[in-house]
Amino acid sequence: PQVEFFPSTTPERMKVNIQAPEGTRLEATDRITMQVESALADVDNAKHFLSEVGTGGGVGQSQTHRAIVSVDFQDRQDWTESPFQTIENLREAISVIPGAQIRVEKQQNGPPRSAPINIELAGDDYDVLSQAAETVKSRINEVKGLTDLRDDFDSGRPELLLLFNRTLSNKLILNGLRVVAGSVRTAIYGTTATLYRMGEEEYDVTVRLQDKYRTNREDVLALTVAGKEGRQIPLSQVVKMDSTVGTSSIKHIDRNRVITVSAEAEGRPGAEVLKDVRKILKDFNPRGATVSFTGENEDMQESQQFMGQALLIGIFLMAMVLLTQFNSVGQLVIILFSVVLSMVGVFIGLTINKMPFSVMMTGVGIISLAGVVVNNAIVLIDYINKLRRDGHELTEAIIEAGTVRLRPILLTAGTTILGLLPMAQGFDFDVRTMHVETGTGSMEFWGPMAIAVIYGLSFATLLTTIVVPVLYHALERLKVASLAFMERHLWFKRIAILLGLVFITFMAYSLIVGIAG
């Protein structure tokens, strides 16, 4: 099966992010947003939507070039098409809208996570990094399943730079730099002059020039400031003006400037899309920049490592308990072999249901499965040992135990499987309408875990009733032959004891390292 971090679920809502160039006026951003709203008006699958224009604004940090449109889909029973298809159709419809970068994002279920494709370009020169980012985007743009390709580099917004003549200004103006800077800020952004009180409420009174006197560079140069001896000095006399582009933000990771190229994956697991991206960028080594793959890929690797450690520690703890109860390494190995059988069942179940292997949900299912499937082998072997202590012959004890314990084994596994079927099939009962549904949205998220347990337990239960007795019979025959051999060769007995001690030491070390990690 393919591998993914979290299961891909059908979204109940989507979000349209609109980002115009820095410095775009609110009115222009609103016009672009209305074009997106017009496209949404023709979407039957959209229940309602809410637009926010100029989000996150503040003094000196205006976000007038950004907007967000949040869209709720119709209820599941009223869908006219799959929400995935609706998202794809909307992307195509708004791709012709000029003047802004527009992204359609589906709702993310589960805990917050990074983008499936996340490529960090680190270096010292933003110009080099931005060129590398454009190259990366042009190379991977056609990868199947890759959507919403973007980078977080903000080229900045246009600025007017005032070049101050200190020598001349000090002759004409007292504290020239402070006076000029304060006058320009008051004229353009405004200064709080006083407070206006109305009852218990207080309001700031901000003073600044009218719009018609602060809309172009000539207006700024026409400003006058108070000079020495009460004279009014034109700003154009002490400053020169130049146009430039100011960097909005500088992002650092490990003290290096970084531009991140990211994208989403749809129709294919993120790990598969990332594999294709890695293949394309295998030989990409830009001068002055280093390339690293982070995001969901990094999170998934950490989760895989954690899940693997948790499974090994769990198996070790079970092994210690079983070893003290049965006092036999051979019977311990037979019982733990049922865990291996359950793993085979898990992959068969994922293949039959055409599900990718979810690192988190399928991983949780496998860990929980490891503690369940050993019960059948424990019940069977414990009864075989009891019959043998009562004097039954080996083959007779195995047949008797299999006959007696078959019913509780099947009942234990059957009740567990039946209890998980509603989760695996997504059964949902609406009390208000007395209606039963299958294949609900929760099944997409929790289904991989339920499928892992159901198929793993079924497969392990069927094989346990056959494999465990066979292995037990073979072990006892081997034990008899080994004892006879060791009676004749004492050196072999010492080596066996030494290997047993080495095995126990290794398992104890693994447990300590796992807990410490």
Side-chain angles (χ1 to χ4, degrees):
Q2 297 173 325
V3 180
E4 63 181 3
F5 190 24
F6 276 95
S8 178
T9 58
T10 303
E12 297 179 357
R13 56 187 60 87
M14 64 179 172
K15 183 169 63 176
V16 183
N17 285 308
I18 302 170
Q19 182 173 347
E22 280 271 7
T24 302
R25 295 176 64 86
L26 189 65
E27 296 81 0
T29 306
D30 187 45
R31 284 195 295 270
I32 298 173
T33 305
M34 286 191 289
Q35 294 182 62
V36 173
E37 292 173 347
S38 299
L40 282 168
D42 299 327
V43 177
D44 295 332
N45 231 16
K47 189 175 184 179
H48 44 67
F49 54 86
L50 174 67
S51 300
E52 300 174 73
V53 183
T55 57
V59 176
Q61 297 178 341
S62 175
Q63 296 290 310
T64 58
H65 65 295
R66 294 177 182 269
I68 297 175
V69 183
S70 302
V71 185
D72 284 349
F73 291 117
Q74 298 282 1
D75 297 334
R76 181 176 289 266
Q77 62 269 20
D78 298 326
W79 284 352
T80 57
E81 61 184 356
S82 166
F84 289 111
Q85 186 61 46
T86 301
I87 292 174
E88 195 60 37
N89 293 341
L90 182 62
R91 282 198 182 108
E92 186 176 347
I94 64 178
S95 62
V96 297
I97 298 177
Q101 181 183 8
I102 306 176
R103 300 196 318 271
V104 183
E105 300 177 355
K106 69 172 186 176
Q107 173 193 19
Q108 296 289 349
N109 292 323
R113 54 192 176 93
S114 304
I117 292 84
N118 210 73
I119 307 167
E120 291 182 357
L121 302 167
D124 298 323
D125 191 335
Y126 254 141
D127 291 334
V128 173
L129 295 180
S130 63
Q131 292 175 8
E134 291 300 323
T135 303
V136 168
K137 290 193 292 184
S138 64
R139 287 193 181 188
I140 67 175
N141 188 45
E142 300 300 325
V143 173
K144 182 180 178 182
L146 187 142
T147 60
D148 291 334
L149 181 61
R150 73 269 185 189
D151 63 58
D152 63 353
F153 176 62
D154 200 336
S155 58
R157 55 183 172 181
E159 293 181 349
L160 293 178
L161 184 65
L162 298 181
L163 303 174
F164 195 69
N165 189 328
R166 289 177 178 270
T167 303
L168 183 59
S169 65
N170 288 333
K171 292 180 180 179
L172 300 176
I173 308 170
L174 184 64
N175 297 324
L177 181 59
R178 182 173 62 84
V179 171
V180 170
S183 299
V184 172
R185 180 173 181 82
T186 299
I188 304 301
Y189 288 112
T191 299
T192 301
T194 185
L195 290 174
Y196 175 73
R197 292 183 177 86
M198 180 180 291
E200 296 182 357
E201 300 294 332
E202 291 185 349
Y203 303 93
D204 290 336
V205 177
T206 302
V207 179
R208 66 174 177 174
L209 291 178
Q210 298 180 28
D211 288 345
K212 61 182 180 180
Y213 296 122
R214 53 182 174 86
T215 55
N216 55 57
R217 55 193 300 163
E218 287 74 19
D219 292 335
V220 177
L221 291 174
L223 293 174
T224 58
V225 295
K228 295 179 180 179
E229 300 177 359
R231 291 183 298 174
Q232 293 294 316
I233 308 299
L235 193 63
S236 58
Q237 193 171 341
V238 292
V239 301
K240 291 183 179 180
M241 185 173 291
D242 190 16
S243 298
T244 184
V245 176
T247 303
S248 299
S249 61
I250 299 177
K251 301 177 179 64
H252 288 87
I253 296 178
D254 294 333
R255 292 182 291 183
N256 289 318
R257 294 185 174 186
V258 173
I259 294 178
T260 303
V261 178
S262 55
E264 302 296 328
E266 284 191 14
R268 298 176 65 199
E272 295 296 316
V273 177
L274 180 61
K275 183 178 178 181
D276 292 345
V277 170
R278 280 181 175 274
K279 189 181 299 184
I280 293 174
L281 299 178
K282 180 176 61 175
D283 300 323
F284 180 64
N285 295 304
R287 176 175 294 182
T290 58
V291 182
S292 58
F293 294 88
T294 57
E296 186 180 276
N297 175 62
E298 194 173 45
D299 297 339
M300 187 165 67
Q301 289 178 346
E302 292 177 358
S303 299
Q304 283 176 324
Q305 183 180 7
F306 168 75
M307 290 291 184
Q309 290 178 345
L311 180 61
L312 289 176
I313 293 173
I315 291 175
F316 174 77
L317 294 176
M318 287 190 296
M320 292 298 99
V321 173
L322 294 173
L323 192 59
T324 57
Q325 291 297 311
F326 289 97
N327 196 28
S328 171
V329 175
Q331 293 182 9
L332 165 66
V333 173
I334 292 175
I335 294 172
L336 294 182
F337 187 70
S338 58
V339 177
V340 178
L341 298 179
S342 69
M343 299 286 187
V344 177
V346 170
F347 288 105
I348 291 176
L350 294 177
T351 303
I352 291 175
N353 289 274
K354 298 180 180 179
M355 282 185 173
F357 184 95
S358 171
V359 171
M360 291 302 298
M361 303 311 296
T362 309
V364 170
I366 289 175
I367 292 174
S368 60
L369 187 62
V372 176
V373 295
V374 296
N375 294 337
N376 298 333
I378 291 173
V379 167
L380 192 56
I381 290 180
D382 181 66
Y383 196 62
I384 293 175
N385 291 339
K386 179 180 181 302
L387 291 175
R388 295 202 66 197
R389 287 194 299 269
D390 293 341
H392 287 71
E393 189 266 331
L394 176 60
T395 305
E396 180 186 355
I398 291 175
I399 295 174
E400 178 69 17
T403 304
V404 173
R405 293 303 190 191
L406 179 61
R407 183 180 179 187
I409 288 174
L410 294 179
L411 285 174
T412 303
T415 51
T416 305
I417 292 169
L418 290 175
L420 288 171
L421 273 179
M423 183 184 292
Q425 296 300 318
F427 287 121
D428 187 25
F429 181 71
D430 191 336
V431 180
R432 294 172 299 177
T433 60
M434 305 300 287
H435 177 68
V436 178
E437 284 187 77
T438 59
T440 56
S442 59
M443 181 269 292
E444 296 174 323
F445 190 78
W446 295 102
M449 184 186 73
I451 290 294
V453 177
I454 288 173
Y455 278 87
L457 184 57
S458 301
F459 195 79
T461 300
L462 292 176
L463 289 187
T464 295
T465 56
I466 300 172
V467 175
V468 169
V470 171
L471 290 177
Y472 188 96
H473 189 276
L475 175 67
E476 291 302 313
R477 294 292 188 186
L478 180 63
K479 185 189 298 184
V480 172
S482 299
L483 289 174
F485 182 81
M486 284 189 290
E487 288 295 330
R488 296 193 299 269
H489 304 84
L490 293 178
W491 60 269
F492 184 80
K493 184 176 181 179
R494 296 190 184 97
I495 293 176
I497 294 173
L498 180 62
L499 291 176
L501 291 174
V502 170
F503 174 76
I504 294 173
T505 304
F506 173 75
M507 294 297 289
Y509 173 77
S510 300
L511 175 63
I512 294 171
V513 171
I515 294 175

